[in-house]
Amino acid sequence: MLRDFDPEVANALRDEALRENEQIILIASENYVSEAVLHVQGSVMTNKYAEGYPEHRYYGGCENVDRVEQLAINRAKTIFGAEHVNVQPHSGTSANLAVYLTVLEPGDKILGMSLSHGGHLSHGAKVNVSGRLFESHSYGVSRETGRIDYDEVREMARTLHPKMIVAGASAYSRTIDFAVFQSIADEVGAYFMADIAHIAGLIAAGFHPNPTLHADFVTTTTHKTLRGPRGGMILCKAKFARDLDHTIFPGLQGGPLMHTIAGKAVALKEAMLPEFRDYQAQVIRNAQAMADELQARGYKIVSGGTDNHLMLVDLSGTGLTGDRAEKALDRAGITLNKNVIPFDTAPPTVTSGIRIGTPIITTRGMKEEDARRIVGFIDRVLLNIDSEEVIREVREEVGRLNKNFPVYTGRLAE
Ligand code: DSN
């Protein structure tokens, strides 16, 4: 028993299971996998080396891992309409790097969304390898609308002639017009990569335009709205298949994580179910209910609302920072993250915003009225940020709400 052998780790596991049961988690990039996915993640497939690809491995005994990898590939192809799929990237950032290294040379220009406007580190941020290896340029959102200014992107592309254009975001609440990005890339002769990590589940369920049908490369993580195990995946046109696979292995990675790939296969099977579609629809309804309720209570939402699973709350003018809000809310039983807002004057360790996402509360079964109630909790804490009494009261209310929406993690803590 783990508890007898390593009580320190056993206690950390128990406490995490409890935390996931007792907190209301609004981190937009997290989700709770099904027990089936959790089961295969902790399975014997973690024991197996399988460098190579199905039927072409550098190790014997790969017949069973071959089956799960092929299932994951086939299911992803079906769901997204992809010509080729690689399910081996260990993460979204690894997936993005693999795409760059497949078709770019060091020093080539890439044009991606600015990290400070909602993009991702791996889209060319100077502190990331994508910004160190390549000449990166970034577009942002309009100050007036909080939305991507596609005309500005087109102008930048015409002037810069990037070799690759990257679309996708970590903190952008509006539908991304991948078709416009494609037309810009076509016009300037750039490769087009769409990073759908945050919205992969919405796309799989048909609630967001799917770039796979036209983009050269689509990258994603598998653990956000897609609700699979922590990892990455790349979908691409058949003409890049060989080079891309070679970049992942042996270029960037050795042995794939077969237990995670098995988990990806299970999650992708789940993503084909009608219930998954219902889930994604509810994720969006819950986010819209929260955005409405926040605005009704006087909070500013960047871009004025949401089309997807998340929103950015602009706390500038409230006297609060994102950091202070995050810490107080966490003590009140509500976990979310501070986040820079576009044109933020505060540093990323402080920020003027918080990011709110609904994947987990929706997995728990919460609906719009619960989402609105959570906004009420948030509002009370933010209005009484120095009151330990209010924080304690809200924490108790959070506990009462969560009791109506138990998750398996509670059982795992016993
Ligand atoms: N850092 C992740 C997020 O929270 O959005 C994206 O990789």
Side-chain angles (χ1 to χ4, degrees):
M1 278 288 279
L2 178 68
R3 173 148 302 288
D4 298 326
F5 174 68
D6 194 340
E8 290 155 295
V9 168
N11 287 342
L13 282 184
R14 180 205 56 208
D15 292 348
E16 176 59 14
L18 276 176
R19 188 190 70 82
E20 290 182 14
N21 194 43
E22 291 173 359
Q23 295 284 114
I24 288 173
I25 297 182
L26 298 173
I27 293 186
S29 48
E30 294 181 0
N31 212 331
Y32 292 168
V33 296
S34 68
E35 286 188 84
V37 170
L38 196 66
H39 172 72
V40 293
Q41 276 267 275
S43 73
V44 290
M45 290 212 171
T46 197
N47 297 332
K48 189 71 196 98
Y49 249 116
E51 285 180 3
Y53 290 97
E55 313 241 329
H56 303 280
R57 304 284 190 183
Y58 289 85
Y59 292 81
C62 287
E63 60 274 18
N64 303 313
V65 293
D66 273 7
R67 281 154 60 196
V68 296
E69 183 160 347
Q70 199 55 56
L71 281 169
I73 291 168
N74 294 348
R75 289 171 184 170
K77 278 186 176 174
T78 304
I79 291 168
F80 294 100
E83 292 178 10
H84 178 72
V85 175
N86 188 310
V87 293
Q88 293 192 3
H90 298 330
S91 71
T93 296
S94 304
N96 290 346
L97 185 59
V99 169
Y100 302 147
L101 293 178
T102 298
V103 289
L104 305 181
E105 295 297 329
D108 280 349
K109 287 182 200 164
I110 60 174
L111 176 60
M113 189 164 183
S114 160
L115 178 62
S116 60
H117 282 217
H120 189 255
L121 274 174
S122 60
H123 297 178
K126 298 296 176 196
V127 291
N128 183 264
V129 65
S130 56
R132 295 176 62 184
L133 211 52
F134 305 105
E135 184 186 317
S136 65
H137 297 266
S138 52
Y139 57 87
V141 297
S142 137
R143 196 183 275 275
E144 288 72 43
T145 63
R147 296 178 187 238
I148 294 169
D149 180 340
Y150 294 94
D151 292 335
E152 189 207 9
V153 179
R154 191 179 293 278
E155 269 320 298
M156 288 185 80
R158 281 178 178 159
T159 311
L160 291 164
H161 286 284
K163 193 141 174 217
M164 175 168 288
I165 295 180
V166 181
S170 280
Y172 185 68
S173 64
R174 294 303 184 175
T175 297
I176 298 176
D177 197 335
F178 291 123
V180 172
F181 274 106
Q182 182 71 61
S183 78
I184 298 170
D186 289 345
E187 184 186 325
V188 300
Y191 293 109
F192 176 45
M193 179 183 106
D195 178 344
I196 62 166
H198 263 265
I199 52 175
L202 305 184
I203 291 174
F207 293 114
H208 190 288
N210 179 6
T212 320
L213 308 175
H214 51 80
D216 296 308
F217 299 94
V218 174
T219 59
T220 186
T221 52
T222 44
H223 50 269
K224 297 186 175 93
T225 49
L226 195 54
R227 206 163 57 178
R230 188 162 295 280
M233 183 163 77
I234 303 170
L235 323 170
C236 70
K237 294 289 174 212
K239 63 183 173 187
F240 301 113
R242 213 183 140 83
D243 289 347
L244 175 81
D245 285 353
H246 197 69
T247 308
I248 288 283
F249 173 82
L252 280 173
Q253 297 183 177
L257 309 177
M258 294 316 305
H259 57 305
T260 299
I261 289 172
K264 289 172 186 173
V266 175
L268 288 163
K269 180 160 186 169
E270 291 170 354
M272 292 167 157
L273 298 174
E275 297 90 291
F276 187 78
R277 196 169 189 281
D278 298 342
Y279 164 69
Q280 300 295 341
Q282 190 64 49
V283 163
I284 297 171
R285 283 199 294 269
N286 284 351
Q288 291 178 339
M290 291 186 92
D292 279 355
E293 186 67 28
L294 281 158
Q295 289 178 120
R297 289 169 183 263
Y299 291 93
K300 271 191 285 178
I301 306 289
V302 174
S303 87
T306 180
D307 303 325
N308 59 27
H309 63 300
L310 66 77
M311 70 217 71
L312 262 185
V313 185
D314 176 354
L315 295 174
S316 58
T318 65
L320 294 173
T321 65
D323 186 47
R324 218 166 146 225
E326 177 194 294
K327 290 196 168 99
L329 287 165
D330 200 48
R331 283 190 292 121
I334 298 169
T335 302
L336 44 68
N337 63 284
K338 60 177 172 285
N339 213 104
V340 287
I341 54 169
F343 309 99
D344 209 329
T345 51
T349 47
V350 178
T351 84
S352 304
I354 50 176
R355 186 180 65 163
I356 293 179
T358 53
I360 288 182
I361 61 165
T362 313
T363 290
R364 291 189 85 133
M366 293 186 190
K367 300 275 195 305
E368 292 94 316
E369 65 182 295
D370 311 300
R372 287 184 187 277
R373 208 171 142 196
I374 293 169
V375 170
F377 298 161
I378 293 172
D379 190 28
R380 264 178 78 194
V381 172
L382 297 187
L383 289 175
N384 300 279
I385 199 137
D386 293 318
S387 167
E388 286 308 315
E389 198 186 332
V390 168
I391 287 175
R392 199 184 55 247
E393 282 167 13
V394 170
R395 191 169 186 94
E396 283 165 12
E397 286 201 49
V398 164
R400 280 195 287 278
L401 178 63
N402 273 346
K403 271 214 169 60
N404 298 330
F405 301 96
V407 276
Y408 63 80
T409 66
R411 215 175 344 101
L412 297 179
E414 283 162 11

